[in-house]
């Protein structure tokens, strides 16, 4: 039975670049007019009148607690394995070790399949399922493939995943156990995308690439909702986020604007910091050069697989969010990433993904440069669980 008070307030899709509007109740990928990402829009005036933070208190501890502000219309299509509502830890020992406080860690490694990709794919697969997709396709550096495989298995949909041949073994094993068709590709995620396109065109598989459909972003925006809820409807001064395709950063930025329209937070925003690896830093370079879009990065190389994204379709949205927030973009070396991953582990008890370690490396850099001021509250996103990155720890 659908509960009327938890129905989605989704009204339409809107192109992030040209502004064209689209019917939200059919499947879309990029804007047919300009080829840029579509964004989900809601009737927030109506949502504001019927929903308040108090209504959330008794709801399930998953991202579906924000169901009115997510795109799935019927509850029976919500595919849930317990995604979202991850802990926000105060990192006291880390604070003591590096001489800055307060520092919080949002531990996304506790999501189903071990990364925050579960958020985006729980919502996107649910919505594709609701709108009639039968077979799904994704190019992935590892974590997105596992997450898509899991939700496809839950729904009984076909899953086709394309991963670089050099991803650590556990990522491949996971997809196979979850029933996906795995194709290994000699190359990077961009090469995987090229190969996936064939099956999309030939067999009508639905493409769930980052920002190439509108709803992974909706899943990931719940990190912003949660952060506000966990900080009692306030936001930190600084958010440091490891950026590949950028869905998380763009999603949180969207969430903060929606929360302000709902009247749940004020106009104050965190400084959004994007961290990338020196071996693949297209967003950092574009930020520094002041351009609207990012040039593709040649010879992308880094141990942090989730950051090995040489070209992001949402580049201008990432750059916009960083600039609007007065934030910055930082490139750190793989050596700094590894050192920070161990430092994070031994001071917090969390086994982080290297992408999570990268956020601490950026924090250390920004403290050294005095870009972050004494007393600024900082949230680091540990976006994944370190356990699957098998080779790194040998
Ligand atoms: C995908 C991924 C990232 C990058 O996330 P985006 O939102 O696409 O920028 C960071 N960390 C991990 C562990 C990932 O799997």
């Amino acid at each position: 039975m659908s509960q009327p008070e938890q129905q989605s307030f989704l009204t339409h899709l809107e192109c992030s670049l040209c502004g064209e509007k689209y019917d939200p109740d059919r499947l879309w990928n990029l804007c047919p007019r300009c080829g840029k990402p579509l964004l989900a829009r809601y009737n927030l005036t109506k949502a504001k009148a019927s929903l308040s933070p108090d209504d959330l208190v008794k709801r399930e501890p998953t991202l579906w607690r924000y169901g009115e502000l997510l795109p799935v219309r019927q509850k029976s299509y919500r595919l849930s394995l317990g995604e979202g509502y991850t802990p926000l830890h105060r990192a006291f020992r880390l604070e003591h070790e590096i001489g800055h406080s307060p520092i919080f860690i949002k531990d996304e490694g506790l999501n189903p399949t071990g990364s925050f990709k579960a958020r985006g794919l729980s919502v996107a697969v649910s919505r594709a399922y609701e709108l009639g997709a039968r077979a799904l396709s994704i190019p992935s550096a590892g974590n997105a493939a596992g997450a898509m495989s899991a939700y496809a298995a839950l729904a009984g949909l076909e899953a086709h995943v394309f991963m670089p041949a050099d991803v650590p073994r556990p990522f491949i094993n996971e997809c196979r156990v979850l029933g996906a068709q795995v194709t290994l590709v000699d190359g990077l995620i961009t090469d995987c995308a090229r190969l996936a396109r064939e099956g999309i065109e030939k067999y009508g598989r639905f493409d769930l690439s980052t920002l190439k459909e509108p709803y992974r972003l909706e899943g990931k925006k719940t990190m912003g909702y949660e952060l506000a809820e966990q900080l009692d409807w306030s936001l930190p001064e600084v958010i440091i986020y490891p950026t590949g395709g950028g869905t998380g950063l763009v999603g949180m930025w969207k969430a903060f604007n929606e929360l302000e329209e709902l009247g749940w937070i004020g106009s104050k925003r965190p400084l959004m910091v994007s961290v990338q690896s020196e071996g693949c830093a297209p967003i950092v370079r574009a930020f520094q050069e002041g351009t609207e879009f990012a040039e593709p990065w040649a010879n992308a190389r880094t141990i942090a697989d989730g950051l090995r994204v040489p070209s992001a379709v949402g580049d201008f949205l990432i750059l916009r969010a960083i600039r609007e927030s007065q934030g910055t973009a930082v490139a750190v070396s793989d050596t700094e990433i590894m050192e920070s991953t161990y430092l994070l582990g031994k001071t917090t008890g969390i086994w982080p993904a290297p992408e999570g370690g990268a956020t601490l490396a950026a924090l250390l850099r920004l403290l050294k440069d005095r870009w972050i001021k004494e007393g600024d509250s900082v949230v680091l996103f540990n976006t994944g669980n370190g356990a699957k990155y098998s080779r790194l720890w040998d």
Side-chain angles (χ1 to χ4, degrees):
M1 281 273 287
S2 68
Q3 289 176 16
E5 75 273 16
Q6 282 205 39
Q7 269 177 15
S8 171
F9 286 104
L10 179 70
T11 53
H12 61 280
L13 298 174
E14 185 180 284
C15 177
S16 55
L17 192 70
C18 75
E20 186 72 14
K21 292 185 169 65
Y22 296 94
D23 173 8
D25 290 310
R26 51 164 286 195
L27 290 168
W28 292 104
N29 286 109
L30 293 169
C31 174
R33 245 181 53 173
C34 72
K36 294 297 177 190
L38 298 176
L39 303 177
R41 298 296 184 201
Y42 301 81
N43 187 336
L44 295 171
T45 315
K46 231 161 125 186
K48 183 176 183 173
S50 71
L51 187 66
S52 81
D54 288 344
D55 297 326
L56 301 177
V57 176
K58 287 197 184 127
R59 290 191 182 174
E60 64 198 299
T62 73
L63 57 73
W64 295 104
R65 65 200 277 105
Y66 310 110
E68 288 91 338
L69 305 154
L70 293 173
V72 179
R73 300 224 187 257
Q74 296 178 64
K75 267 194 163 173
S76 57
Y77 285 98
R78 289 182 184 176
L79 301 168
S80 182
L81 295 166
E83 53 292 321
Y85 219 63
T86 56
L88 182 69
H89 298 293
R90 179 83 188 263
F92 289 109
R93 286 200 58 239
L94 177 63
E95 289 173 4
H96 186 76
E97 184 76 23
I98 69 173
H100 180 87
S101 76
I103 301 170
F104 298 88
I105 318 285
K106 183 78 169 146
D107 188 12
E108 292 293 303
L110 292 180
N111 276 297
T113 69
S115 87
F116 71 161
K117 292 292 195 302
R119 289 181 187 267
L121 285 149
S122 165
V123 173
V125 175
S126 294
R127 186 64 176 151
Y129 180 40
E130 185 174 47
L131 295 177
R134 308 295 317 148
L136 308 175
S137 168
I138 201 164
S140 164
N143 279 320
M148 190 192 83
S149 303
Y151 293 100
L154 182 56
L157 303 176
E158 256 180 56
H160 299 267
V161 307
F162 299 80
M163 289 186 279
D166 63 354
V167 300
R169 210 57 218 178
F171 289 105
I172 300 168
N173 295 342
E174 177 181 42
C175 293
R176 293 204 169 128
V177 172
L178 295 173
Q181 287 292 324
V182 178
T183 305
L184 296 178
V185 180
D186 271 316
L188 303 178
I189 190 165
T190 29
D191 303 301
C192 295
R194 208 167 308 127
L195 217 76
R197 200 171 305 138
E198 205 179 292
I200 292 163
E201 283 161 11
K202 212 155 139 194
Y203 305 113
R205 296 173 189 156
F206 187 63
D207 182 9
L208 283 160
S209 303
T210 298
L211 282 168
K212 289 189 183 164
E213 60 73 51
Y215 300 125
R216 280 176 65 180
L217 184 71
E218 294 305 288
K220 281 225 185 142
K221 85 178 177 189
T222 60
M223 290 190 290
Y225 280 72
E226 273 177 36
L227 203 53
E229 188 178 357
Q230 289 172 321
L231 294 171
D232 201 18
W233 307 104
S234 68
L235 294 174
E237 262 97 31
V238 182
I239 289 177
I240 306 184
Y241 182 84
T243 308
T247 359
L249 192 138
V250 174
M252 281 193 276
W253 195 246
K254 182 174 190 281
F256 300 150
N257 289 335
E258 289 175 358
L259 287 170
E260 187 180 358
E261 268 195 67
L262 288 166
W264 297 6
I265 62 168
S267 60
K268 187 174 163 276
R269 293 287 184 276
L271 306 168
M272 304 297 281
V273 177
S274 171
V275 55
Q276 297 195 303
S277 164
E278 281 172 2
C280 180
I283 298 298
V284 178
R285 183 172 63 190
F287 177 78
Q288 287 168 354
E289 291 175 356
T291 58
E292 187 186 1
F293 298 92
E295 288 294 318
W297 191 271
N299 303 318
R301 198 187 326 233
T302 166
I303 51 159
D305 295 329
L307 306 186
R308 203 167 53 159
V309 181
S311 168
V313 63
D315 52 0
F316 66 106
L317 298 172
I318 306 169
L319 289 160
R320 243 188 231 171
I322 297 169
R323 288 178 179 133
E324 280 175 24
S325 79
Q326 327 260 2
T328 191
V330 183
V332 293
S333 69
D334 278 6
T335 307
E336 289 173 276
I337 290 176
M338 280 313 279
E339 282 170 7
S340 294
T341 302
Y342 279 92
L343 178 57
L344 197 55
K346 74 178 184 196
T347 55
T348 65
I350 296 165
W351 187 0
E355 295 87 345
T359 65
L360 177 55
L363 173 60
L364 294 173
R365 180 80 66 81
L366 293 171
L367 287 171
K368 198 164 142 230
D369 295 348
R370 297 180 189 277
W371 189 88
I372 289 178
K373 304 277 179 299
E374 205 182 318
D376 280 354
S377 60
V378 178
V379 172
L380 305 180
F381 272 84
N382 175 41
T383 45
N385 182 322
K388 270 191 264 173
Y389 296 71
S390 48
R391 275 196 309 268
L392 275 189
W393 324 115
D394 291 338

